Amino acid sequence: MTPSAQLSVGNDLVDLNRREPVLHQRFIERVFSQSEMAAVECSMANLWLHWAAKEAAYKMIKRLEPETVFSPVKFVFDSSLKTLTYNDNVYSCLCEIKPNYVHVVCASQPELLKSSALHLWINDIGDQDPSEAVRNLAVERLAALLNISNKQLSVSPPARGMLPHIFLAGSKMEHLLSFSHHGRFVACCCYLMN
Amino acid sequence: MEENEIFDKIVAIVTPLAKDKEALSNVKRESDFLKDLQVSSARLVDIILAIEDQFDVEVDDSEADKVETVGAAVDLIKAKLA
């Protein structure tokens, strides 16, 4: 059994409908590697899928290696294999491409993505505060899973790139959480530890 | 270049990308690009690229990774231009 300290998951979501100014002309060359270019130039959904995979992997790895720098071009996504390579390590990803958003979960071990202990929750929150909405989503769904009251759970707001922690009556729980929000959507990925 | 001139140029770069317009109207050195101004993480890359263009400097990823606030961006540019 892999020790819990070596397990990690990270997620990232991009709202495909959010209207924003056009990307800087050097964005693609700064962010994507040569091997990703063909897929990235295929469609905006593909471009953002690659971005989300890089962000998800960064969050996942940073939990295990806090000194990790987000150098997007070094996180290389293969959309055919649904794998992310960083520093010669290959990680598996779970990818969702919907009309309104793309969402990626990246895991330290591929079996985590197939486990019934992995839960993904995505909400359309409209104009609500996304940081509060994603914490509320995590507390509500996790409390239901654990069959306890919402009031017993709290979630620490994560620092940039760091995963949030969940607390039961003030005591830190070992379950793995990752949050993402963009535009109208919030996403929570939760891996329940034994 | 004076610090307030650098600050104003950064605010001009951030303005079209910040979702929280109220936070933008009260922007200060401590304003966090992601948390306060609600710039998305992808658009942080755009901010770094625009900084490179505006100030004719190069910012590598390890430097960009530390630019979480407007003040951090000002300090980085000041150091680059010194």
Side-chain angles (χ1 to χ4, degrees):
Chain A
M1 181 74 183
T2 307
S4 63
Q6 292 171 22
L7 298 180
S8 185
V9 291
N11 76 327
D12 195 63
L13 178 146
V14 177
D15 181 344
L16 297 175
N17 294 326
R18 183 163 174 195
R19 292 182 184 178
E20 290 185 331
V22 293
L23 290 167
H24 191 285
Q25 57 187 359
R26 288 190 285 116
F27 181 90
I28 286 177
E29 68 190 62
R30 174 86 178 215
V31 165
F32 300 108
S33 67
Q34 278 303 315
S35 68
E36 296 172 304
M37 285 298 179
V40 160
E41 288 170 354
C42 178
S43 71
M44 288 307 283
N46 256 328
L47 183 152
W48 290 121
L49 182 74
H50 281 69
W51 171 266
K54 290 166 188 277
E55 277 272 351
Y58 168 65
K59 291 176 188 174
M60 181 276 290
I61 294 167
K62 196 165 172 79
R63 179 179 184 277
L64 303 174
E65 300 167 21
E67 299 306 314
T68 303
V69 167
F70 186 50
S71 185
V73 77
K74 294 181 183 168
F75 292 75
V76 181
F77 182 58
D78 185 320
S79 53
S80 304
L81 298 175
K82 302 206 171 21
T83 56
L84 188 297
T85 303
Y86 176 73
N87 278 353
D88 295 327
N89 295 312
V90 181
Y91 302 100
S92 295
C93 297
L94 205 57
C95 305
E96 275 186 289
I97 306 178
K98 300 285 187 185
N100 293 327
Y101 64 81
V102 293
H103 181 235
V104 178
V105 180
C106 185
S108 53
Q109 284 83 9
E111 57 269 25
L112 301 189
L113 299 177
K114 297 170 189 158
S115 168
S116 59
L118 184 75
H119 300 269
L120 307 178
W121 304 309
I122 296 174
N123 262 0
D124 181 338
I125 59 159
D127 295 326
Q128 291 177 55
D129 177 275
S131 302
E132 193 181 331
V134 75
R135 288 201 298 272
N136 290 342
L137 174 66
V139 165
E140 184 184 301
R141 301 293 181 91
L142 195 51
L145 273 178
L146 301 174
N147 200 23
I148 57 177
S149 161
N150 289 11
K151 291 177 184 170
Q152 292 177 272
L153 292 178
S154 60
V155 175
S156 65
R160 184 188 174 198
M162 299 300 286
L163 296 173
H165 295 296
I166 191 137
F167 297 84
L168 172 61
S171 298
K172 188 173 144 190
M173 304 179 85
E174 292 302 311
H175 308 309
L176 305 176
L177 283 180
S178 176
F179 292 166
S180 180
H181 59 76
H182 184 238
R184 295 177 60 91
F185 295 97
V186 295
C188 175
C189 166
C190 174
Y191 186 83
L192 287 180
M193 304 297 290
N194 287 330
Chain B
M1 192 178 296
E2 295 295 321
E3 180 166 328
N4 58 354
E5 191 182 346
I6 297 173
F7 182 92
D8 290 345
K9 284 189 173 185
I10 291 172
V11 172
I13 289 169
V14 174
T15 295
L17 303 173
K19 188 181 167 198
D20 193 328
K21 300 302 180 193
E22 192 180 327
L24 190 63
S25 66
N26 297 307
V27 66
K28 42 189 183 283
R29 278 183 59 90
E30 295 74 26
S31 298
D32 187 293
F33 290 114
L34 295 174
K35 288 181 196 160
D36 300 323
L37 302 174
Q38 293 189 26
V39 174
S40 71
S41 52
R43 303 326 287 259
L44 265 183
V45 176
D46 277 343
I47 290 173
I48 296 298
L49 293 170
I51 284 172
E52 289 186 333
D53 294 347
Q54 285 260 333
F55 298 96
D56 196 21
V57 295
E58 284 189 18
V59 180
D60 66 31
D61 289 331
S62 61
E63 292 169 324
D65 207 44
K66 294 176 186 138
V67 177
E68 296 183 5
T69 63
V70 175
V74 170
D75 293 342
L76 176 68
I77 295 159
K78 268 175 63 183
K80 294 264 178 197
L81 297 179

